[in-house]
mmCIF file of all heavy atoms in Angstrom:
data_model
loop_
_atom_site.group_PDB
_atom_site.id
_atom_site.type_symbol
_atom_site.label_atom_id
_atom_site.label_comp_id
_atom_site.label_asym_id
_atom_site.label_seq_id
_atom_site.Cartn_x
_atom_site.Cartn_y
_atom_site.Cartn_z
ATOM 1 N N VAL Q 271 1.953 20.581 13.414
ATOM 2 C CA VAL Q 271 2.062 21.952 13.988
ATOM 3 C C VAL Q 271 0.611 22.442 14.225
ATOM 4 O O VAL Q 271 -0.374 21.914 13.636
ATOM 5 C CB VAL Q 271 2.917 22.854 13.181
ATOM 6 C CG1 VAL Q 271 4.379 22.419 13.151
ATOM 7 C CG2 VAL Q 271 2.279 23.073 11.773
ATOM 8 N N TRP Q 272 0.507 23.537 14.887
ATOM 9 C CA TRP Q 272 -0.823 24.163 15.148
ATOM 10 C C TRP Q 272 -0.896 25.487 14.438
ATOM 11 O O TRP Q 272 0.163 26.156 13.966
ATOM 12 C CB TRP Q 272 -0.968 24.413 16.654
ATOM 13 C CG TRP Q 272 -1.281 23.075 17.158
ATOM 14 C CD1 TRP Q 272 -2.647 22.784 17.594
ATOM 15 C CD2 TRP Q 272 -0.538 21.941 17.503
ATOM 16 N NE1 TRP Q 272 -2.523 21.490 18.112
ATOM 17 C CE2 TRP Q 272 -1.372 21.001 18.056
ATOM 18 C CE3 TRP Q 272 0.776 21.677 17.381
ATOM 19 C CZ2 TRP Q 272 -0.846 19.704 18.439
ATOM 20 C CZ3 TRP Q 272 1.320 20.449 17.738
ATOM 21 C CH2 TRP Q 272 0.418 19.464 18.255
ATOM 22 N N TYR Q 273 -1.992 26.015 14.123
ATOM 23 C CA TYR Q 273 -2.275 27.170 13.341
ATOM 24 C C TYR Q 273 -1.725 28.482 13.955
ATOM 25 O O TYR Q 273 -1.526 29.471 13.240
ATOM 26 C CB TYR Q 273 -3.861 27.417 13.177
ATOM 27 C CG TYR Q 273 -4.277 26.459 12.151
ATOM 28 C CD1 TYR Q 273 -4.780 25.318 12.477
ATOM 29 C CD2 TYR Q 273 -4.372 26.937 10.770
ATOM 30 C CE1 TYR Q 273 -5.345 24.427 11.508
ATOM 31 C CE2 TYR Q 273 -4.903 25.965 9.832
ATOM 32 C CZ TYR Q 273 -5.330 24.770 10.106
ATOM 33 O OH TYR Q 273 -5.827 23.915 9.174
ATOM 34 N N ASP Q 274 -1.383 28.455 15.346
ATOM 35 C CA ASP Q 274 -0.916 29.687 15.856
ATOM 36 C C ASP Q 274 0.633 29.875 15.829
ATOM 37 O O ASP Q 274 1.228 30.734 16.247
ATOM 38 C CB ASP Q 274 -1.394 29.776 17.412
ATOM 39 C CG ASP Q 274 -0.925 28.656 18.166
ATOM 40 O OD1 ASP Q 274 -0.558 27.700 17.637
ATOM 41 O OD2 ASP Q 274 -1.030 28.833 19.443
ATOM 42 N N MET Q 275 1.270 28.853 15.263
ATOM 43 C CA MET Q 275 2.762 28.836 15.080
ATOM 44 C C MET Q 275 3.086 29.994 14.032
ATOM 45 O O MET Q 275 2.342 30.222 13.005
ATOM 46 C CB MET Q 275 3.265 27.473 14.481
ATOM 47 C CG MET Q 275 4.762 27.514 14.215
ATOM 48 S SD MET Q 275 5.280 25.800 13.709
ATOM 49 C CE MET Q 275 5.321 25.005 15.330
ATOM 50 N N THR Q 276 4.242 30.769 14.293
ATOM 51 C CA THR Q 276 4.662 31.756 13.298
ATOM 52 C C THR Q 276 5.200 31.025 12.014
ATOM 53 O O THR Q 276 5.721 29.841 12.143
ATOM 54 C CB THR Q 276 5.695 32.544 13.875
ATOM 55 O OG1 THR Q 276 6.814 31.957 14.243
ATOM 56 C CG2 THR Q 276 5.195 33.384 15.175
ATOM 57 N N VAL Q 277 5.244 31.756 10.940
ATOM 58 C CA VAL Q 277 5.805 31.234 9.681
ATOM 59 C C VAL Q 277 7.352 30.937 9.974
ATOM 60 O O VAL Q 277 7.873 29.972 9.536
ATOM 61 C CB VAL Q 277 5.673 32.278 8.584
ATOM 62 C CG1 VAL Q 277 6.461 31.917 7.303
ATOM 63 C CG2 VAL Q 277 4.151 32.321 8.278
ATOM 64 N N GLU Q 278 8.020 31.872 10.615
ATOM 65 C CA GLU Q 278 9.519 31.549 10.931
ATOM 66 C C GLU Q 278 9.700 30.208 11.609
ATOM 67 O O GLU Q 278 10.676 29.485 11.199
ATOM 68 C CB GLU Q 278 10.114 32.704 11.691
ATOM 69 C CG GLU Q 278 10.381 33.998 10.827
ATOM 70 C CD GLU Q 278 11.316 33.794 9.672
ATOM 71 O OE1 GLU Q 278 12.336 33.081 9.768
ATOM 72 O OE2 GLU Q 278 11.068 34.209 8.622
ATOM 73 N N VAL Q 279 8.989 30.075 12.631
ATOM 74 C CA VAL Q 279 9.063 28.759 13.437
ATOM 75 C C VAL Q 279 8.722 27.572 12.571
ATOM 76 O O VAL Q 279 9.412 26.512 12.543
ATOM 77 C CB VAL Q 279 8.347 28.725 14.708
ATOM 78 C CG1 VAL Q 279 8.300 27.427 15.330
ATOM 79 C CG2 VAL Q 279 8.866 29.909 15.564
ATOM 80 N N ALA Q 280 7.600 27.756 11.735
ATOM 81 C CA ALA Q 280 7.284 26.564 10.853
ATOM 82 C C ALA Q 280 8.330 26.282 9.870
ATOM 83 O O ALA Q 280 8.631 25.148 9.491
ATOM 84 C CB ALA Q 280 5.974 27.027 10.130
ATOM 85 N N LEU Q 281 8.959 27.385 9.241
ATOM 86 C CA LEU Q 281 10.028 27.129 8.313
ATOM 87 C C LEU Q 281 11.244 26.448 8.983
ATOM 88 O O LEU Q 281 11.889 25.564 8.460
ATOM 89 C CB LEU Q 281 10.506 28.391 7.645
ATOM 90 C CG LEU Q 281 9.489 28.875 6.579
ATOM 91 C CD1 LEU Q 281 9.839 30.290 6.232
ATOM 92 C CD2 LEU Q 281 9.448 28.025 5.397
ATOM 93 N N SER Q 282 11.528 26.840 10.283
ATOM 94 C CA SER Q 282 12.623 26.094 11.110
ATOM 95 C C SER Q 282 12.324 24.697 11.304
ATOM 96 O O SER Q 282 13.154 23.800 11.190
ATOM 97 C CB SER Q 282 12.837 26.833 12.387
ATOM 98 O OG SER Q 282 13.355 28.204 12.172
ATOM 99 N N VAL Q 283 11.048 24.386 11.640
ATOM 100 C CA VAL Q 283 10.588 23.011 11.894
ATOM 101 C C VAL Q 283 10.802 22.184 10.550
ATOM 102 O O VAL Q 283 11.319 21.011 10.572
ATOM 103 C CB VAL Q 283 9.168 22.860 12.393
ATOM 104 C CG1 VAL Q 283 8.680 21.453 12.325
ATOM 105 C CG2 VAL Q 283 9.014 23.500 13.673
ATOM 106 N N LEU Q 292 4.057 20.639 6.294
ATOM 107 C CA LEU Q 292 3.814 20.377 7.758
ATOM 108 C C LEU Q 292 2.239 20.046 7.703
ATOM 109 O O LEU Q 292 1.508 20.605 6.963
ATOM 110 C CB LEU Q 292 3.975 21.758 8.495
ATOM 111 C CG LEU Q 292 5.346 22.164 8.591
ATOM 112 C CD1 LEU Q 292 5.414 23.582 9.370
ATOM 113 C CD2 LEU Q 292 6.221 21.243 9.430
ATOM 114 N N LEU Q 310 5.021 28.931 2.236
ATOM 115 C CA LEU Q 310 5.632 29.698 3.407
ATOM 116 C C LEU Q 310 6.733 30.687 2.873
ATOM 117 O O LEU Q 310 6.890 31.702 3.185
ATOM 118 C CB LEU Q 310 6.029 28.927 4.578
ATOM 119 C CG LEU Q 310 4.941 28.197 5.218
ATOM 120 C CD1 LEU Q 310 5.503 27.334 6.471
ATOM 121 C CD2 LEU Q 310 3.839 29.056 5.722
ATOM 122 N N TYR Q 319 5.355 41.051 4.797
ATOM 123 C CA TYR Q 319 5.863 40.022 5.828
ATOM 124 C C TYR Q 319 6.493 40.696 7.060
ATOM 125 O O TYR Q 319 7.151 41.588 6.996
ATOM 126 C CB TYR Q 319 6.770 39.015 5.152
ATOM 127 C CG TYR Q 319 7.247 38.010 6.136
ATOM 128 C CD1 TYR Q 319 6.294 36.925 6.565
ATOM 129 C CD2 TYR Q 319 8.521 38.106 6.841
ATOM 130 C CE1 TYR Q 319 6.826 36.085 7.588
ATOM 131 C CE2 TYR Q 319 8.937 37.115 7.718
ATOM 132 C CZ TYR Q 319 8.045 36.136 8.129
ATOM 133 O OH TYR Q 319 8.397 35.299 8.963
ATOM 134 N N SER Q 320 6.166 40.030 8.207
ATOM 135 C CA SER Q 320 6.818 40.442 9.461
ATOM 136 C C SER Q 320 7.047 39.045 10.189
ATOM 137 O O SER Q 320 6.284 38.039 9.915
ATOM 138 C CB SER Q 320 5.984 41.307 10.325
ATOM 139 O OG SER Q 320 5.156 40.737 11.125
ATOM 140 N N ASP Q 321 7.922 38.922 11.059
ATOM 141 C CA ASP Q 321 8.186 37.748 11.847
ATOM 142 C C ASP Q 321 7.024 37.452 12.816
ATOM 143 O O ASP Q 321 7.126 36.435 13.475
ATOM 144 C CB ASP Q 321 9.538 37.874 12.581
ATOM 145 C CG ASP Q 321 9.601 38.918 13.679
ATOM 146 O OD1 ASP Q 321 8.564 39.707 13.749
ATOM 147 O OD2 ASP Q 321 10.578 39.096 14.447
ATOM 148 N N ARG Q 322 5.985 38.176 12.914
ATOM 149 C CA ARG Q 322 4.937 37.855 13.695
ATOM 150 C C ARG Q 322 3.685 37.224 12.865
ATOM 151 O O ARG Q 322 2.696 36.873 13.616
ATOM 152 C CB ARG Q 322 4.363 39.219 14.394
ATOM 153 C CG ARG Q 322 5.396 39.715 15.305
ATOM 154 C CD ARG Q 322 4.805 41.042 15.903
ATOM 155 N NE ARG Q 322 5.943 41.551 16.773
ATOM 156 C CZ ARG Q 322 5.608 42.013 17.971
ATOM 157 N NH1 ARG Q 322 4.452 42.029 18.474
ATOM 158 N NH2 ARG Q 322 6.636 42.544 18.711
ATOM 159 N N VAL Q 323 3.855 36.935 11.614
ATOM 160 C CA VAL Q 323 2.874 36.415 10.811
ATOM 161 C C VAL Q 323 2.718 35.003 11.267
ATOM 162 O O VAL Q 323 3.640 34.186 11.372
ATOM 163 C CB VAL Q 323 3.173 36.410 9.386
ATOM 164 C CG1 VAL Q 323 2.107 35.718 8.519
ATOM 165 C CG2 VAL Q 323 3.172 37.938 8.967
ATOM 166 N N ARG Q 324 1.532 34.535 11.508
ATOM 167 C CA ARG Q 324 1.181 33.071 11.965
ATOM 168 C C ARG Q 324 0.595 32.331 10.850
ATOM 169 O O ARG Q 324 0.052 33.003 9.871
ATOM 170 C CB ARG Q 324 0.215 33.228 13.177
ATOM 171 C CG ARG Q 324 0.846 33.946 14.353
ATOM 172 C CD ARG Q 324 0.066 33.730 15.504
ATOM 173 N NE ARG Q 324 0.849 34.418 16.730
ATOM 174 C CZ ARG Q 324 1.767 33.978 17.367
ATOM 175 N NH1 ARG Q 324 2.221 32.755 17.132
ATOM 176 N NH2 ARG Q 324 2.396 34.641 18.348
ATOM 177 N N LEU Q 325 0.520 31.001 10.932
ATOM 178 C CA LEU Q 325 0.072 30.189 9.946
ATOM 179 C C LEU Q 325 -1.409 30.409 9.721
ATOM 180 O O LEU Q 325 -1.822 30.381 8.486
ATOM 181 C CB LEU Q 325 0.251 28.729 10.254
ATOM 182 C CG LEU Q 325 1.650 28.181 10.339
ATOM 183 C CD1 LEU Q 325 1.697 26.845 10.726
ATOM 184 C CD2 LEU Q 325 2.409 28.428 8.968
ATOM 185 N N ARG Q 326 -2.186 30.823 10.660
ATOM 186 C CA ARG Q 326 -3.596 31.035 10.418
ATOM 187 C C ARG Q 326 -3.761 32.304 9.619
ATOM 188 O O ARG Q 326 -4.758 32.505 8.815
ATOM 189 C CB ARG Q 326 -4.315 31.155 11.791
ATOM 190 C CG ARG Q 326 -3.882 32.428 12.636
ATOM 191 C CD ARG Q 326 -4.850 32.538 13.927
ATOM 192 N NE ARG Q 326 -4.099 33.472 14.741
ATOM 193 C CZ ARG Q 326 -3.457 33.093 15.830
ATOM 194 N NH1 ARG Q 326 -3.429 31.895 16.224
ATOM 195 N NH2 ARG Q 326 -2.872 34.060 16.552
ATOM 196 N N ASP Q 327 -2.829 33.255 9.636
ATOM 197 C CA ASP Q 327 -2.882 34.465 8.871
ATOM 198 C C ASP Q 327 -2.552 34.197 7.469
ATOM 199 O O ASP Q 327 -3.198 34.619 6.506
ATOM 200 C CB ASP Q 327 -1.775 35.508 9.345
ATOM 201 C CG ASP Q 327 -2.045 35.843 10.781
ATOM 202 O OD1 ASP Q 327 -3.136 35.894 11.271
ATOM 203 O OD2 ASP Q 327 -1.064 36.152 11.350
ATOM 204 N N VAL Q 328 -1.637 33.176 7.126
ATOM 205 C CA VAL Q 328 -1.257 32.827 5.835
ATOM 206 C C VAL Q 328 -2.349 32.010 5.130
ATOM 207 O O VAL Q 328 -2.583 32.159 3.935
ATOM 208 C CB VAL Q 328 0.011 31.937 5.945
ATOM 209 C CG1 VAL Q 328 0.256 31.176 4.636
ATOM 210 C CG2 VAL Q 328 1.173 32.534 6.440
#
Side-chain angles (χ1 to χ4, degrees):
V271 299
W272 282 256
Y273 283 89
D274 60 346
M275 180 178 280
T276 65
V277 169
E278 283 300 314
V279 172
L281 286 167
S282 293
V283 169
L292 297 172
L310 297 182
Y319 176 75
S320 84
D321 62 355
R322 294 180 185 224
V323 174
R324 299 190 180 276
L325 295 178
R326 68 175 165 256
D327 303 327
V328 170

